[in-house]
Amino acid sequence: MDDEQIRQQEDWLNNRKNRLPSFTEVLSRRTRPPVDLFMFYLFLQREGAEDILDFWLDVQQHENLCRAYFKDVRKSGRTIKEDWPQYWDYARRRGSIYGTVVGLQPNAVKRSTTSTGEMLNDQEKQVLAAAGDDKRAGTISTSPRPRTPGLEKERIASASPPTGEYDPPRSTTPFSISGRTPTLFNMRRASRAPTVIPRSAAISRLDLIASAERIYLRYLSPASTVGSPENHEIYLPPALRIHSFPLSSTQEPKSQSDVTIMAHIPDMFHAQKEYCFRAMEQDAFPRFLRAKAFGNLTPLSALVRLVVGLIILWIGLATAFALIFLDVQPKTKRFFLFIPFALAILCLISHQYELDPILIFLGQSESTPFRTLTIREPYVKKLLLGRAIWVTTLVAICVSALTLIFWAVPGHRL
């Protein structure tokens, strides 16, 4: 690493100390708890919307697999044009996210990835329009859209096998996070077929088809047609839906139409992946930052604190009124009311702000209910510490006010 790279890395780290992380940084695993990728996955899982992140990760793994295939071809001494002429022609005509890997001219890649101009066909304009309409209408969501039997029948009836002119929606903006994206989350994905193909041998085109087929069957095929518990269909706008997958991972395509369709396999899901990226970035990610950068409790833990706080507050008030109406002497005994009042107010305000100042002072944040991890993101730690000081001050003011009020009330034995 030269001096320029070291300086850029130091500038980036210094910049990170004064801002919250971006969604790209979270996905590329450059952030620390409690705003890292694992915590974001847990956040989506609580909302029942983790399938969209699973899809993004699996497509990222599929694209990494395709990059590895192209690199293997180049290491063997052959060019992509010689090894896979159909894909080479497709990439030359329409562009590809693997342009630098397969050896396309930079100008051609730049033209193919531009978001405006004559390179966009009608279908791609519909994709951008659909995403824009969803954003303006506030309908972009990470949760699957509820289905109705009539709609499902209509979608199944409209599905038809692609022909030789099959042209799936293509990416219109150059977005790709470099680096490996291994499968990290083994909670609900443990029962699924593995996405990572072992590298005991060179990657073949059948491996690419098998990877694409798994993604289609898990996330894009209608659940009513698959009937498998491993199917988790995600919502996509009509322009991005893929209604069938005509290739088979058991044999090499023979017909001209299948060979043409196979050329789309490397870029097949990139437009859908970008849509999911924008959907998470605009909807779930801001709520995730609010939950983890400005609080440290899970919803269940905050609810438990509400219940406990109300119970303790009732006990404290009952004790306070008993001391007053029994006219217990000396009057200074009422100062001990600050103990139940402090516990009750702390629980109630912690529920309101979803922040426990005691955990913050210990450097902890909840990952799952009543399980904590250490806060390591510098700017988030500073934000949470400031809010913890404010919550502590508010609790002290409320407790002092309640204790002094009940101390000042004159006793009257009934």
Side-chain angles (χ1 to χ4, degrees), residues 32-44 46 185 288 292 365-368 373:
R32 300 175 181 179
V35 288
D36 58 338
L37 183 58
F38 178 70
M39 293 292 287
F40 181 60
Y41 186 88
L42 292 179
F43 176 81
L44 291 179
R46 284 199 298 269
F185 310 111
F288 167 72
K292 295 303 176 183
S365 178
E366 285 193 343
S367 56
T368 55
L373 49 75

mmCIF file of all heavy atoms in Angstrom, residues 32-44 46 185 288 292 365-368 373:
data_model
loop_
_atom_site.group_PDB
_atom_site.id
_atom_site.type_symbol
_atom_site.label_atom_id
_atom_site.label_comp_id
_atom_site.label_asym_id
_atom_site.label_seq_id
_atom_site.Cartn_x
_atom_site.Cartn_y
_atom_site.Cartn_z
ATOM 1 N N ARG A 32 -19.113 -1.109 11.914
ATOM 2 C CA ARG A 32 -18.999 -1.900 13.127
ATOM 3 C C ARG A 32 -20.331 -1.893 13.879
ATOM 4 O O ARG A 32 -21.195 -1.050 13.628
ATOM 5 C CB ARG A 32 -17.888 -1.329 14.019
ATOM 6 C CG ARG A 32 -16.514 -1.318 13.362
ATOM 7 C CD ARG A 32 -15.508 -0.630 14.266
ATOM 8 N NE ARG A 32 -14.175 -0.583 13.652
ATOM 9 C CZ ARG A 32 -13.124 -0.017 14.227
ATOM 10 N NH1 ARG A 32 -13.256 0.557 15.418
ATOM 11 N NH2 ARG A 32 -11.958 -0.006 13.623
ATOM 12 N N PRO A 33 -20.496 -2.820 14.822
ATOM 13 C CA PRO A 33 -21.738 -2.836 15.617
ATOM 14 C C PRO A 33 -21.924 -1.492 16.341
ATOM 15 O O PRO A 33 -20.945 -0.853 16.725
ATOM 16 C CB PRO A 33 -21.504 -3.977 16.612
ATOM 17 C CG PRO A 33 -20.471 -4.845 15.965
ATOM 18 C CD PRO A 33 -19.593 -3.918 15.189
ATOM 19 N N PRO A 34 -23.178 -1.060 16.500
ATOM 20 C CA PRO A 34 -24.435 -1.777 16.194
ATOM 21 C C PRO A 34 -25.046 -1.427 14.851
ATOM 22 O O PRO A 34 -26.248 -1.617 14.673
ATOM 23 C CB PRO A 34 -25.336 -1.281 17.330
ATOM 24 C CG PRO A 34 -24.901 0.145 17.525
ATOM 25 C CD PRO A 34 -23.418 0.167 17.277
ATOM 26 N N VAL A 35 -24.265 -0.908 13.904
ATOM 27 C CA VAL A 35 -24.803 -0.553 12.591
ATOM 28 C C VAL A 35 -24.102 -1.358 11.507
ATOM 29 O O VAL A 35 -23.848 -0.849 10.410
ATOM 30 C CB VAL A 35 -24.674 0.970 12.326
ATOM 31 C CG1 VAL A 35 -25.645 1.752 13.174
ATOM 32 C CG2 VAL A 35 -23.242 1.445 12.581
ATOM 33 N N ASP A 36 -23.777 -2.609 11.798
ATOM 34 C CA ASP A 36 -23.138 -3.465 10.807
ATOM 35 C C ASP A 36 -24.189 -4.281 10.071
ATOM 36 O O ASP A 36 -25.389 -4.187 10.340
ATOM 37 C CB ASP A 36 -22.105 -4.372 11.469
ATOM 38 C CG ASP A 36 -22.726 -5.244 12.551
ATOM 39 O OD1 ASP A 36 -23.804 -4.868 13.059
ATOM 40 O OD2 ASP A 36 -22.153 -6.290 12.879
ATOM 41 N N LEU A 37 -23.737 -5.097 9.119
ATOM 42 C CA LEU A 37 -24.658 -5.852 8.269
ATOM 43 C C LEU A 37 -25.431 -6.896 9.062
ATOM 44 O O LEU A 37 -26.619 -7.139 8.795
ATOM 45 C CB LEU A 37 -23.866 -6.522 7.135
ATOM 46 C CG LEU A 37 -24.690 -7.293 6.097
ATOM 47 C CD1 LEU A 37 -25.715 -6.389 5.435
ATOM 48 C CD2 LEU A 37 -23.778 -7.914 5.045
ATOM 49 N N PHE A 38 -24.794 -7.519 10.038
ATOM 50 C CA PHE A 38 -25.482 -8.525 10.834
ATOM 51 C C PHE A 38 -26.648 -7.908 11.613
ATOM 52 O O PHE A 38 -27.739 -8.482 11.682
ATOM 53 C CB PHE A 38 -24.499 -9.189 11.796
ATOM 54 C CG PHE A 38 -25.123 -10.210 12.694
ATOM 55 C CD1 PHE A 38 -25.581 -11.415 12.187
ATOM 56 C CD2 PHE A 38 -25.275 -9.978 14.051
ATOM 57 C CE1 PHE A 38 -26.166 -12.370 13.003
ATOM 58 C CE2 PHE A 38 -25.856 -10.918 14.872
ATOM 59 C CZ PHE A 38 -26.305 -12.118 14.351
ATOM 60 N N MET A 39 -26.437 -6.739 12.197
ATOM 61 C CA MET A 39 -27.507 -6.065 12.926
ATOM 62 C C MET A 39 -28.620 -5.624 11.984
ATOM 63 O O MET A 39 -29.795 -5.642 12.350
ATOM 64 C CB MET A 39 -26.942 -4.872 13.695
ATOM 65 C CG MET A 39 -25.998 -5.245 14.824
ATOM 66 S SD MET A 39 -26.850 -6.093 16.175
ATOM 67 C CE MET A 39 -27.732 -4.726 16.905
ATOM 68 N N PHE A 40 -28.267 -5.217 10.764
ATOM 69 C CA PHE A 40 -29.297 -4.842 9.793
ATOM 70 C C PHE A 40 -30.134 -6.057 9.405
ATOM 71 O O PHE A 40 -31.349 -5.955 9.236
ATOM 72 C CB PHE A 40 -28.632 -4.229 8.558
ATOM 73 C CG PHE A 40 -29.618 -3.774 7.505
ATOM 74 C CD1 PHE A 40 -30.564 -2.815 7.790
ATOM 75 C CD2 PHE A 40 -29.583 -4.322 6.227
ATOM 76 C CE1 PHE A 40 -31.478 -2.399 6.820
ATOM 77 C CE2 PHE A 40 -30.487 -3.920 5.263
ATOM 78 C CZ PHE A 40 -31.428 -2.948 5.558
ATOM 79 N N TYR A 41 -29.481 -7.220 9.288
ATOM 80 C CA TYR A 41 -30.226 -8.438 8.985
ATOM 81 C C TYR A 41 -31.189 -8.778 10.120
ATOM 82 O O TYR A 41 -32.353 -9.135 9.886
ATOM 83 C CB TYR A 41 -29.267 -9.598 8.751
ATOM 84 C CG TYR A 41 -29.956 -10.860 8.293
ATOM 85 C CD1 TYR A 41 -30.186 -11.093 6.942
ATOM 86 C CD2 TYR A 41 -30.385 -11.812 9.209
ATOM 87 C CE1 TYR A 41 -30.833 -12.244 6.521
ATOM 88 C CE2 TYR A 41 -31.026 -12.960 8.799
ATOM 89 C CZ TYR A 41 -31.239 -13.175 7.451
ATOM 90 O OH TYR A 41 -31.889 -14.313 7.046
ATOM 91 N N LEU A 42 -30.737 -8.645 11.371
ATOM 92 C CA LEU A 42 -31.616 -8.904 12.513
ATOM 93 C C LEU A 42 -32.783 -7.917 12.542
ATOM 94 O O LEU A 42 -33.915 -8.282 12.886
ATOM 95 C CB LEU A 42 -30.829 -8.806 13.822
ATOM 96 C CG LEU A 42 -29.772 -9.891 14.076
ATOM 97 C CD1 LEU A 42 -29.070 -9.629 15.402
ATOM 98 C CD2 LEU A 42 -30.390 -11.275 14.058
ATOM 99 N N PHE A 43 -32.519 -6.676 12.163
ATOM 100 C CA PHE A 43 -33.576 -5.665 12.114
ATOM 101 C C PHE A 43 -34.633 -6.051 11.079
ATOM 102 O O PHE A 43 -35.839 -5.976 11.353
ATOM 103 C CB PHE A 43 -32.966 -4.301 11.778
ATOM 104 C CG PHE A 43 -33.973 -3.201 11.620
ATOM 105 C CD1 PHE A 43 -34.494 -2.560 12.731
ATOM 106 C CD2 PHE A 43 -34.397 -2.809 10.355
ATOM 107 C CE1 PHE A 43 -35.428 -1.541 12.590
ATOM 108 C CE2 PHE A 43 -35.333 -1.795 10.208
ATOM 109 C CZ PHE A 43 -35.848 -1.152 11.324
ATOM 110 N N LEU A 44 -34.189 -6.468 9.889
ATOM 111 C CA LEU A 44 -35.145 -6.896 8.867
ATOM 112 C C LEU A 44 -35.880 -8.163 9.295
ATOM 113 O O LEU A 44 -37.064 -8.335 8.993
ATOM 114 C CB LEU A 44 -34.422 -7.141 7.538
ATOM 115 C CG LEU A 44 -33.869 -5.918 6.818
ATOM 116 C CD1 LEU A 44 -33.174 -6.345 5.531
ATOM 117 C CD2 LEU A 44 -34.979 -4.918 6.504
ATOM 118 N N ARG A 46 -36.789 -9.035 12.289
ATOM 119 C CA ARG A 46 -37.868 -8.688 13.215
ATOM 120 C C ARG A 46 -39.083 -8.172 12.480
ATOM 121 O O ARG A 46 -40.216 -8.322 12.942
ATOM 122 C CB ARG A 46 -37.383 -7.624 14.215
ATOM 123 C CG ARG A 46 -36.490 -8.161 15.303
ATOM 124 C CD ARG A 46 -36.427 -7.212 16.482
ATOM 125 N NE ARG A 46 -35.865 -5.918 16.123
ATOM 126 C CZ ARG A 46 -34.580 -5.630 16.197
ATOM 127 N NH1 ARG A 46 -33.707 -6.535 16.588
ATOM 128 N NH2 ARG A 46 -34.153 -4.434 15.877
ATOM 129 N N PHE A 185 -25.394 -15.571 7.173
ATOM 130 C CA PHE A 185 -26.539 -15.692 8.044
ATOM 131 C C PHE A 185 -27.116 -17.086 7.931
ATOM 132 O O PHE A 185 -27.548 -17.517 6.871
ATOM 133 C CB PHE A 185 -27.586 -14.640 7.671
ATOM 134 C CG PHE A 185 -26.994 -13.283 7.574
ATOM 135 C CD1 PHE A 185 -26.880 -12.642 6.351
ATOM 136 C CD2 PHE A 185 -26.498 -12.665 8.705
ATOM 137 C CE1 PHE A 185 -26.312 -11.402 6.272
ATOM 138 C CE2 PHE A 185 -25.930 -11.414 8.621
ATOM 139 C CZ PHE A 185 -25.840 -10.780 7.418
ATOM 140 N N PHE A 288 -33.634 1.672 10.365
ATOM 141 C CA PHE A 288 -32.582 0.928 11.057
ATOM 142 C C PHE A 288 -31.613 1.881 11.765
ATOM 143 O O PHE A 288 -31.237 1.655 12.921
ATOM 144 C CB PHE A 288 -31.833 0.058 10.044
ATOM 145 C CG PHE A 288 -30.547 -0.518 10.552
ATOM 146 C CD1 PHE A 288 -30.540 -1.531 11.495
ATOM 147 C CD2 PHE A 288 -29.320 -0.061 10.071
ATOM 148 C CE1 PHE A 288 -29.348 -2.072 11.974
ATOM 149 C CE2 PHE A 288 -28.135 -0.594 10.531
ATOM 150 C CZ PHE A 288 -28.145 -1.596 11.486
ATOM 151 N N LYS A 292 -30.888 2.017 15.793
ATOM 152 C CA LYS A 292 -29.605 1.582 16.327
ATOM 153 C C LYS A 292 -28.622 2.709 16.607
ATOM 154 O O LYS A 292 -27.743 2.560 17.458
ATOM 155 C CB LYS A 292 -28.954 0.577 15.362
ATOM 156 C CG LYS A 292 -29.732 -0.721 15.233
ATOM 157 C CD LYS A 292 -29.910 -1.378 16.575
ATOM 158 C CE LYS A 292 -30.764 -2.625 16.502
ATOM 159 N NZ LYS A 292 -30.994 -3.208 17.843
ATOM 160 N N SER A 365 -25.194 -2.456 23.465
ATOM 161 C CA SER A 365 -26.427 -2.256 22.703
ATOM 162 C C SER A 365 -27.063 -3.616 22.454
ATOM 163 O O SER A 365 -26.351 -4.599 22.219
ATOM 164 C CB SER A 365 -26.145 -1.559 21.373
ATOM 165 O OG SER A 365 -27.334 -1.408 20.605
ATOM 166 N N GLU A 366 -28.381 -3.684 22.505
ATOM 167 C CA GLU A 366 -29.063 -4.965 22.337
ATOM 168 C C GLU A 366 -29.062 -5.396 20.877
ATOM 169 O O GLU A 366 -29.372 -4.602 19.989
ATOM 170 C CB GLU A 366 -30.498 -4.885 22.856
ATOM 171 C CG GLU A 366 -30.612 -4.880 24.357
ATOM 172 C CD GLU A 366 -32.034 -5.111 24.834
ATOM 173 O OE1 GLU A 366 -32.958 -4.947 24.021
ATOM 174 O OE2 GLU A 366 -32.214 -5.457 26.007
ATOM 175 N N SER A 367 -28.736 -6.647 20.644
ATOM 176 C CA SER A 367 -28.848 -7.232 19.308
ATOM 177 C C SER A 367 -30.170 -7.967 19.161
ATOM 178 O O SER A 367 -30.905 -7.776 18.205
ATOM 179 C CB SER A 367 -27.681 -8.183 19.050
ATOM 180 O OG SER A 367 -27.616 -9.177 20.070
ATOM 181 N N THR A 368 -30.475 -8.829 20.117
ATOM 182 C CA THR A 368 -31.775 -9.477 20.245
ATOM 183 C C THR A 368 -32.263 -9.190 21.659
ATOM 184 O O THR A 368 -31.483 -8.711 22.489
ATOM 185 C CB THR A 368 -31.664 -10.993 20.009
ATOM 186 O OG1 THR A 368 -30.679 -11.539 20.901
ATOM 187 C CG2 THR A 368 -31.244 -11.297 18.570
ATOM 188 N N LEU A 373 -24.326 -6.511 22.696
ATOM 189 C CA LEU A 373 -22.989 -6.535 22.112
ATOM 190 C C LEU A 373 -22.345 -5.176 22.320
ATOM 191 O O LEU A 373 -23.021 -4.187 22.597
ATOM 192 C CB LEU A 373 -23.023 -6.932 20.641
ATOM 193 C CG LEU A 373 -24.016 -6.236 19.694
ATOM 194 C CD1 LEU A 373 -23.593 -4.837 19.326
ATOM 195 C CD2 LEU A 373 -24.192 -7.056 18.438
#
